[in-house]
Amino acid sequence: MAWQTKVKARSTPSDAPPKIAALLSVSLLPLQNPADFTPKLIIEAFKCMVPAIMMNNYANAINQLADVHIDKVNKPHLPLACGDFSMGEGLAITIASPLMAVAMGIMLRSPPLVIGFIIWCIVGGAYSIDLPPLLRWKGNPLMAAVTIISMNGLLLLFPFFIHFQKIVLGNPVSFTKPVLFTAAYMVIWNAAIAFVKDIPDVEGDKAFGLRTLPIIIGKEKVFSIAVNMMLMAYGGAVLVGAFSPSVLCKLVTMIGHSALAFVLWRQAKTIDLSHNKSVQSFYLFIWKLYYVEFLFVHFLR
């Protein structure tokens, strides 16, 4: 947490709290009846928060460690770029965080978490570390999207879902409708996030030879593709909700996602792609919409 909070007032907010909320939501997905909601489940959910925060710190730390020269152009407020942390401190966080997370996964006797954390570590390293031709996925639009889909989506969903379903509740692994929808939603939404993420970084990325999608096809096309992908995800949610046997779930899902889609569309119309602050504001906004879905997913029955 220190890595994310020891920043100056002009920095962006930490993404750890919403990820914790998402983890709590995932911990409830395996519940088959109200009797499954026990104090043990709550305790186990809080136990899982610590390694999840450690892996989140690792992902932030290794990216900033590898990109400190680029961040001084694109994001000078970040801890390493502005000097709040030394390179030695950044390296220590990068090494210690995943080791602690894996150790806690072992202590929890959870193979799904241990495997998930190891994959998380490998993918995060491959995204940031500059060892061509295999690594530095950040410079490849497809692999950059795969990284964000994995680290902010699927690795937050499946290892924790399996942990709670099999290890905590003792049930056989079964991927329910809400889980499968969440996985599909995460793939589409995180791909869109990956595209928007690179739009305000064009200047620094171009200066250091990175070939991100906004550099290749232009900011306007990338932004349009991303917004349409997110609207498509909401359209899919409305369609899934229409077939729900529960009237309450049907109404909440269809009305809720239609309202969110309208808000997204209106917000997108106000963005000035020539101003990085405007794009960064939209980037933070779509993250908020992303985490709202972890509430709505429980109505997809």
Side-chain angles (χ1 to χ4, degrees), residues 20-80:
I20 289 173
L23 173 58
L24 291 174
S25 176
V26 169
S27 71
L28 299 177
L29 287 176
L31 300 185
Q32 298 177 357
N33 55 70
D36 289 335
F37 188 74
T38 63
K40 178 184 177 182
L41 183 74
I42 299 173
I43 293 171
E44 292 297 326
F46 280 101
K47 285 181 181 178
C48 288
M49 286 183 189
V50 179
I53 291 172
M54 291 297 101
M55 291 311 301
N56 194 60
N57 281 347
Y58 161 76
N60 284 314
I62 192 170
N63 182 252
Q64 293 183 37
L65 197 66
D67 284 357
V68 62
H69 55 298
I70 301 177
D71 288 338
K72 288 181 179 179
V73 177
N74 290 335
K75 302 169 184 174
H77 59 269
L78 293 178
L80 275 180

Side-chain angles (χ1 to χ4, degrees), residues 156-203:
L156 188 64
L157 174 63
F158 287 113
F160 289 97
F161 174 79
I162 296 172
H163 169 75
F164 284 104
Q165 188 173 58
K166 184 175 182 180
I167 307 300
V168 177
L169 297 175
N171 297 325
V173 177
S174 175
F175 298 117
T176 60
K177 181 179 177 180
V179 173
L180 294 177
F181 171 82
T182 302
Y185 172 86
M186 283 180 166
V187 169
I188 296 172
W189 201 271
N190 277 293
I193 285 174
F195 297 156
V196 174
K197 174 182 179 294
D198 289 331
I199 293 176
D201 295 344
V202 165
E203 181 182 349

Side-chain angles (χ1 to χ4, degrees), residues 123-124 126-127 137-138 142-152:
V123 172
Y127 175 79
W137 291 354
K138 179 177 180 177
L142 175 61
M143 297 312 297
V146 168
T147 301
I148 292 179
I149 289 169
S150 299
M151 297 182 68
N152 292 314

Side-chain angles (χ1 to χ4, degrees), residues 2 87 91 95 107 127 170 183 209 224 297:
M87 293 295 286
L91 182 61
I95 294 172
M107 291 171 62
Y127 175 79
S224 177
V297 70

